[in-house]
Amino acid sequence: MSSFYLGPYQVSPDQCLLQHEGLDIKLTPRNMDVLVYLAKHAQRVVTSSELLDNFWSPVASDHAVHKAISELRGALGDNVRKQHCIKTLPRRGYMMLLTPNDGADDQPRESRLKTLLRRLTAGVDMRGAAAIGGVTVALLAALLLLRPASFAPEPQASMASVGIQNFDVQGERPDSVDFLREGLQNGLINQLSRLKEVRIVAVDGNGEQALQTARQRGLEHMLQGTFLQADGKMRIQVQLRNVADGTYEYSEQFDLDQGGVFNVQDHIISNVVTALSIHLDDRQREQMYDWGTSNAVAYERFMKGDFYYNQFNPADFERAISLYQEATKLDPDFINAYVGEATAANNLSVFARIDKQRELLKLVGEVHREVASRAPNSEALDSIRAIEMRMAGNEYRRQEQLLREQILSGHPPGYALAHYALFLISARLYDEAGRFLDAAAETRPYEITPDETWDYRVTIASPEEAISLRKDQLMVRPRHIGLLGPMARDLYYQGKTTEAQWYLERLREEDTEGLVADYATQVIAALSGKLKPGSEALQALYNRGQDYYFNNGVVAFILGDVETGINFWARLEPLQKRRLLNMAQVSERYYPASVLHDPHYQQLLDNLDVGKSWQHTLMEGVLAMQEATGVTLSDTAMEAYRHERFVVRNTAWDADFAEETAADDTAHGTALGGERVMRSRVGTRDDSTLLTVSR
């Protein structure tokens, strides 16, 4: 395609190049395609969907378009506040403001100046130009041919200007209203003045009169408000208006039944400042719309909820749920906030006691009904229903069938492959799980998912690699109890007792529910020899209630007491089956090989439906979905499937541990039924501490 001009830029599509003031600016091929498309359709709105359909795959999201537009703006020297090249029309699309041209006569003035200078100075020895006046001639000619406007400086980004009028009063007018009204205006002026790139001006008058005054003073926005007083109750309505055309850009109301005057004033000021900081920032406003709301305060609560959710500990999950609920109260149609609430409840349930699990499952059921009533065709319903099934603990068979159907359909939800990988992990099919995770799509921008694929990858990583990966993640999320617990256990298992103790103490501080910290504490105590069969300390553990049955069973199995372990696990309630599904194969790393191969233990797994039958169901699923996913069974799993055998050890670690395990076998002379075992580095354990690993 031939070159053309956009304002001062020469666009060369074939070379993916912009040229401006002697600089070459490279674009990616896709960004160049988008730029050319916008140029061809200059002065009309081009929607995100239109761009997605033309230049991206069906699985791409609007964020891909936003990223391309942002990069193009950077290349064109555009400014988010004052958009001179590409204008964003919220919830509509984008418009190219420059008209493309390809003729020399229409060449931008700046470019013509450079061309003229090159022609007039051709052949001139620039080192002697001053002596012969060559450059002077060239510049004078250029000045004669070009209008002075060509030398005008680039327009600078200007501050947004907001006028604030005295709030109007309607209805009854007690003395407290004047006090509150004056305090509100002063407080808003003070707080809004702290926003970057915002100029605040007090405007006299009310209503249309104030709006007219704002126009005369060249202001862009006007903040207006009204006090409504009746029957002893008061309500304040706040609006942000566009001064040029009088349209309403933001509106909210506040009921004054929340406490004293100062508390009410602070609450209103905080919400208005929050709302305006978002509405006056194009980038934040676009992201707010992308997340699915036009209520800036609801969006602010949602983003705070997202922050606390990502801290990943019980107390912060509680905070996140509360903030998501505030967001949906402010905007009852904010679907992503409902999904956030369900997702936070889902993760809190993993670490919670059984009474809390029941409450959280009920909460997610209420969220599901609310979303179904407001958006019956929303894709979010699939995600929320999947969360309900996980939390129920005993519906994983149904969910496996549903995931399989969704994947085979060719259009599965984003979480389908990742969650099937989690099922594969539960069945010790680590090799297959890793390849499902490779095929799974990462979470897309402006999307909430109940899966974190990076966490699943850490789970199936070798112990040494997992420690390194978890340390990296803890630099970002230092309060993540799903990382602190495994760090404490695995470091102790490798003999790094001091470091393990440090992580265990941090875990105890963050795990307000207590079950994860207890699990790590008792595993370490059993591995260290502090818990001995028949001891009073062990009996005290065994006398604890239902919430501890899973942990107690793990301790018994580590100590080689299969009968006691079976007794505890056989009494698990359905809601506790989820923890069993997620943690049984993890706990087996600490068991003696004799437990893993004990027929009574394997029969227990079958009775709980997490043993051979479950494993073979997933093997069948992998084979059935092979064409859709590109994943087939590993040699180890295929052999077990054909011979109806149970895969006792995970299918992925043999490459990492073959040499080390062989050395251990030689040194210790330990082999059970021809299977290799690895001895713990702790050095204080007897044969009951052997860890079985895969061939």
Side-chain angles (χ1 to χ4, degrees):
M1 181 178 177
S2 59
S3 299
F4 62 93
Y5 287 91
L6 277 175
Y9 294 90
Q10 182 177 357
V11 183
S12 301
D14 292 341
Q15 302 176 46
C16 292
L17 188 67
L18 292 179
Q19 292 175 301
H20 176 56
E21 294 185 346
L23 296 176
D24 291 345
I25 305 168
K26 292 290 290 183
L27 299 181
T28 65
R30 177 173 286 158
N31 284 358
M32 177 57 76
D33 289 341
V34 171
L35 180 63
V36 170
Y37 191 85
L38 290 172
K40 285 182 177 179
H41 300 86
Q43 306 304 322
R44 84 161 175 86
V45 178
V46 176
T47 66
S48 291
S49 298
E50 188 176 342
L51 293 172
L52 280 170
D53 291 343
N54 279 279
F55 304 113
W56 278 272
S57 69
V59 298
S61 70
D62 285 349
H63 180 68
V65 177
H66 300 327
K67 183 174 183 292
I69 296 295
S70 177
E71 291 170 352
L72 285 175
R73 282 205 178 107
L76 292 167
D78 217 354
N79 183 276
V80 174
R81 176 73 60 196
K82 298 294 184 182
Q83 299 169 7
H84 302 290
C85 302
I86 302 174
K87 182 174 180 59
T88 298
L89 292 92
R91 311 193 88 165
R92 293 178 61 198
Y94 306 94
M95 180 186 292
M96 172 59 70
L97 300 178
L98 302 175
T99 302
N101 61 81
D102 55 9
D105 291 340
D106 296 326
Q107 189 176 341
R109 293 190 299 270
E110 215 175 316
S111 182
R112 282 189 281 142
L113 171 60
K114 292 178 183 175
T115 301
L116 184 59
L117 284 172
R118 283 197 298 271
R119 290 176 179 173
L120 291 175
T121 58
V124 175
D125 180 357
M126 297 306 294
R127 290 169 294 181
I132 64 173
V135 172
T136 304
V137 171
L139 289 174
L140 287 174
L143 288 169
L144 290 171
L145 290 170
L146 297 174
R147 288 178 289 176
S150 63
F151 293 99
E154 285 289 319
Q156 298 297 314
S158 62
M159 300 177 71
S161 53
V162 180
I164 300 181
Q165 71 166 57
N166 279 320
F167 283 20
D168 194 11
V169 180
Q170 296 180 7
E172 304 169 12
R173 185 166 183 159
D175 294 339
S176 61
V177 171
D178 288 333
F179 178 76
L180 180 57
R181 183 175 68 159
E182 183 177 348
L184 270 177
Q185 185 182 33
N186 292 335
L188 286 168
I189 291 173
N190 179 53
Q191 294 297 323
L192 289 170
S193 296
R194 301 180 183 183
L195 297 179
K196 295 180 180 179
E197 297 186 356
V198 177
R199 180 168 63 93
I200 304 300
V201 179
V203 177
D204 293 331
N206 300 98
E208 294 302 319
Q209 178 189 355
L211 204 63
Q212 183 61 34
T213 301
R215 290 192 186 103
Q216 293 171 355
R217 300 180 66 174
L219 302 179
E220 297 172 289
H221 311 275
M222 171 62 73
L223 185 67
Q224 299 177 325
T226 303
F227 285 83
L228 303 173
Q229 179 81 13
D231 299 327
K233 296 182 180 179
M234 186 180 297
R235 171 174 291 173
I236 298 179
Q237 294 178 334
V238 181
Q239 301 95 23
L240 181 72
R241 298 182 68 180
N242 184 292
V243 171
D245 57 17
T247 56
Y248 290 90
E249 301 174 299
Y250 159 73
S251 180
E252 190 166 356
Q253 65 183 27
F254 305 91
D255 291 319
L256 306 191
D257 55 358
Q258 305 156 1
V261 170
F262 290 113
N263 288 337
V264 170
Q265 180 175 300
D266 290 344
H267 174 73
I268 294 173
I269 290 173
S270 174
N271 281 7
V272 171
V273 170
T274 294
L276 294 191
S277 68
I278 293 170
H279 276 279
L280 295 173
D281 186 308
D282 292 351
R283 194 181 300 273
Q284 284 196 73
R285 191 171 67 250
E286 283 184 46
Q287 290 181 344
M288 175 179 69
Y289 293 145
D290 285 329
W291 275 114
T293 184
S294 57
N295 185 309
V297 180
Y299 174 66
E300 183 261 354
R301 299 293 191 272
F302 172 80
M303 295 307 293
K304 281 186 176 179
D306 191 59
F307 168 80
Y308 283 115
Y309 168 81
N310 280 290
Q311 304 310 301
F312 228 87
N313 62 79
D316 284 327
F317 283 139
E318 296 273 18
R319 294 187 184 98
I321 290 171
S322 178
L323 286 160
Y324 289 135
Q325 289 173 335
E326 287 185 41
T328 57
K329 184 177 181 180
L330 290 162
D331 180 359
D333 294 319
F334 192 175
I335 300 303
N336 264 319
Y338 291 110
V339 178
E341 182 182 350
T343 304
N346 169 59
N347 282 289
L348 177 57
S349 177
V350 172
F351 309 116
R353 299 169 185 270
I354 194 160
D355 287 342
K356 176 65 73 64
Q357 286 180 311
R358 294 190 183 101
E359 293 175 12
L360 293 168
L361 182 58
K362 180 180 178 181
L363 173 66
V364 174
E366 293 169 353
V367 168
H368 187 271
R369 287 188 290 275
E370 187 69 23
V371 173
S373 68
R374 294 185 175 277
N377 298 318
S378 173
E379 294 181 358
L381 288 171
D382 287 338
S383 182
I384 297 171
R385 178 56 182 148
I387 288 172
E388 282 188 286
M389 295 175 73
R390 295 185 192 200
M391 295 174 66
N394 59 352
E395 292 196 35
Y396 53 90
R397 286 273 183 182
R398 286 180 55 199
Q399 193 172 10
E400 188 276 334
Q401 293 174 359
L402 179 60
L403 290 171
R404 192 189 301 194
E405 291 170 3
Q406 291 171 332
I407 293 169
L408 288 172
S409 74
H411 302 285
Y415 58 82
L417 287 167
H419 192 53
Y420 206 89
L422 185 62
F423 282 157
L424 292 168
I425 292 171
S426 76
R428 301 155 192 82
L429 301 175
Y430 282 18
D431 178 274
E432 293 76 5
R435 285 181 282 137
F436 260 73
L437 291 175
D438 290 339
E442 295 294 336
T443 303
R444 295 179 297 182
Y446 313 114
E447 176 185 66
I448 300 176
T449 174
D451 289 283
E452 291 189 310
T453 56
W454 69 266
D455 194 20
Y456 300 165
R457 291 183 188 280
V458 174
T459 299
I460 62 177
S462 64
E464 286 284 359
E465 183 184 7
I467 286 175
S468 176
L469 292 172
R470 289 188 178 109
K471 284 184 176 179
D472 290 342
Q473 284 293 327
L474 283 167
M475 294 293 288
V476 181
R477 295 198 273 187
R479 304 176 63 190
H480 193 310
I481 67 172
L483 298 172
L484 293 170
M487 282 292 290
R489 301 192 313 264
D490 290 350
L491 284 168
Y492 186 87
Y493 195 81
Q494 294 189 13
K496 301 174 183 178
T497 56
T498 301
E499 192 176 1
Q501 189 62 35
W502 185 78
Y503 281 102
L504 185 59
E505 290 302 321
R506 287 179 58 190
L507 173 63
R508 288 169 177 161
E509 292 173 2
E510 301 298 341
D511 182 20
T512 53
E513 290 292 313
L515 293 180
V516 176
D518 179 79
Y519 175 82
T521 299
Q522 306 314 331
V523 165
I524 290 174
L527 295 175
S528 70
K530 292 180 180 179
L531 291 176
K532 298 184 180 298
S535 66
E536 292 185 6
L538 183 61
Q539 193 58 46
L541 286 181
Y542 287 171
N543 287 336
R544 299 181 302 175
Q546 181 78 39
D547 286 317
Y548 296 94
Y549 283 1
F550 177 81
N551 293 0
N552 290 348
V554 171
V555 169
F557 291 133
I558 290 174
L559 298 177
D561 186 351
V562 175
E563 182 178 352
T564 299
I566 289 174
N567 182 50
F568 279 117
W569 279 17
R571 291 185 287 163
L572 293 174
E573 292 195 15
L575 285 176
Q576 296 174 305
K577 291 282 292 293
R578 181 186 186 186
R579 191 154 184 241
L580 176 73
L581 194 71
N582 291 342
M583 294 297 295
Q585 44 78 32
V586 172
S587 304
E588 288 173 354
R589 301 176 190 180
Y590 312 115
Y591 299 173
S594 58
V595 170
L596 297 179
H597 293 275
D598 189 305
H600 297 96
Y601 175 73
Q602 294 192 14
Q603 185 62 51
L604 169 70
L605 297 181
D606 278 338
N607 293 343
L608 295 170
D609 200 21
V610 294
K612 187 175 78 171
S613 175
W614 171 239
Q615 190 178 80
H616 280 248
T617 294
L618 295 173
M619 291 176 177
E620 291 169 358
V622 172
L623 293 173
M625 295 182 289
Q626 180 177 344
E627 185 174 343
T629 63
V631 178
T632 189
L633 292 177
S634 63
D635 292 342
T636 301
M638 181 63 79
E639 183 179 358
Y641 179 71
R642 287 171 176 166
H643 294 89
E644 285 291 317
R645 290 205 303 263
F646 179 52
V647 177
V648 178
R649 304 153 300 166
N650 85 67
T651 58
W653 287 1
D654 56 294
D656 296 325
F657 290 99
E659 184 176 342
E660 178 182 1
T661 304
D664 282 346
D665 285 348
T666 302
H668 301 291
T670 54
L672 296 174
E675 293 159 354
R676 296 194 305 270
V677 291
M678 183 175 71
R679 186 178 299 276
S680 166
R681 297 184 182 85
V682 175
T684 59
R685 301 170 60 197
D686 57 21
D687 285 346
S688 69
T689 65
L690 297 177
L691 172 68
T692 304
V693 299
S694 62
R695 292 175 183 261

